[in-house]
Amino acid sequence: MEYEVGFLGYGHMARAISDGLDRSGLVPYHQQLISGRDRGRLKEAGETKGVAVADDNRALVRHSKVVLLGVLPNQVEDALEEVRNESAGRLIISMAAGVRLETLNSFLHTGAGLVRAMPNVAAQVGQGTTVICGRPRSDPAHLIRARQIFESVGLCLELEECLFDVASALSGAGPAYFFALFESFVRGAVRLGVPWEAARRLVVQTALGAAEMASRQPGQSLANMRDAVASPGGVTAEGLYVLDKGGLGGVLQEALEAATMKARRMA
């Protein structure tokens, strides 16, 4: 039997995408095949979700039209060399951080399709951000299929590989930056008398609302949206003045640049 999608490695990200594919109806569980080192986890997934469990990685690639590679970066070489012969005629989508197309290509059969993808942690709640790229002159159908898969767990954009380090610093690390901002606002509200639970709920919902407004008005500049909230001489304008005086914009840009440089060194 041939399965629509196989997961070589079934960690947190692979499980999130597996769930998203089933939830969206694009690839139900019974059309998914999984393999990995933790046989107990695989058995549990097979029993609770109905996904098929492959005997080994070679069998997984042999019986899957598309293979999502979800192993750690330092395991990529061993994993791909193990399945090199089976990869012919298959589409391999690597989610390994920092492992470039050139390196991935060197471990695969010449007849294998290849896409590099970088999803982020929010895929676990169906609000992920994924960037993808393919080899020069690769089959456009490969990128289309990859986009369909990752759109089951959020937004998916095609981006040149040379920009992946910036994307890693922005969308990959981005949730941590927002969590840090949330925590600062929560602590500030608590300092001014708001109970912890109420402060957390207010901060998170305010962020959700702002994100939704920005998402629904893609043609509107963020600066204009900001200014629309700030009445002259009002509360918002006073707060924005303090943020500007403290150099928040510059600090955030420096953080993004530092994270990008780190990603390049690691790659």
Side-chain angles (χ1 to χ4, degrees):
M1 178 176 176
E2 194 170 56
Y3 294 85
E4 289 296 322
V5 175
F7 293 90
L8 200 167
Y10 203 60
H12 292 300
M13 186 59 69
R15 294 198 300 273
I17 296 168
S18 170
D19 293 343
L21 288 171
D22 178 78
R23 187 170 54 247
S24 68
L26 182 65
V27 184
Y29 287 135
H30 69 270
Q31 295 178 10
Q32 300 178 23
L33 184 63
I34 62 176
S35 69
R37 295 183 175 184
D38 190 337
R39 301 304 295 184
R41 176 187 294 170
L42 300 181
K43 181 181 178 181
E44 180 183 4
E47 293 173 349
T48 59
K49 299 180 180 180
V51 295
V53 180
D55 292 334
D56 53 41
N57 292 340
R58 289 190 180 93
L60 177 124
V61 176
R62 190 161 52 246
H63 294 290
S64 301
K65 296 178 182 178
V66 178
V67 176
L68 268 70
L69 183 65
V71 301
L72 295 173
N74 62 1
Q75 299 170 348
V76 167
E77 180 176 355
D78 290 342
L80 291 184
E81 288 200 331
E82 178 186 1
V83 301
R84 184 192 295 267
N85 292 332
E86 286 78 9
S87 67
R90 304 303 183 193
L91 171 57
I92 309 297
I93 302 176
S94 172
M95 300 185 293
V99 184
R100 304 199 187 286
L101 287 170
E102 182 179 6
T103 301
L104 294 165
N105 194 55
S106 68
F107 301 136
L108 289 171
H109 190 281
T110 54
L114 177 61
V115 169
R116 181 182 172 193
M118 189 179 65
N120 76 353
V121 68
Q124 296 180 21
V125 294
Q127 294 294 331
T129 303
T130 304
V131 292
I132 59 173
C133 67
R135 294 174 296 198
R137 297 176 298 280
S138 61
D139 187 343
H142 291 165
L143 285 170
I144 292 173
R145 188 54 174 162
R147 189 179 303 113
Q148 290 172 337
I149 289 171
F150 290 105
E151 283 179 346
S152 73
V153 290
L155 174 71
C156 182
L157 296 175
E158 186 177 346
L159 203 64
E160 294 181 29
E161 189 178 34
C162 63
L163 297 175
F164 262 48
D165 293 329
V166 181
S168 176
L170 181 57
S171 61
Y177 308 153
F178 283 105
F179 294 149
L181 288 173
F182 293 177
E183 176 65 11
S184 294
F185 279 123
V186 169
R187 288 185 176 276
V190 169
R191 176 173 170 266
L192 295 172
V194 181
W196 279 100
E197 182 180 356
R200 189 185 192 279
R201 293 181 66 185
L202 285 169
V203 168
V204 172
Q205 184 58 42
T206 300
L208 281 171
E212 184 66 19
M213 289 178 66
S215 176
R216 292 188 183 188
Q217 303 177 66
Q220 180 75 280
S221 82
L222 296 174
N224 287 343
M225 296 186 73
R226 176 202 63 202
D227 292 343
V229 182
S231 301
V235 173
T236 306
E238 193 70 17
L240 288 172
Y241 166 72
V242 174
L243 293 178
D244 289 342
K245 186 171 66 172
L248 177 66
V251 168
L252 293 177
Q253 292 180 47
E254 288 178 8
L256 180 61
E257 182 177 3
T260 299
M261 295 302 104
K262 179 70 172 182
R264 287 176 180 167
R265 291 194 297 272
M266 292 178 67

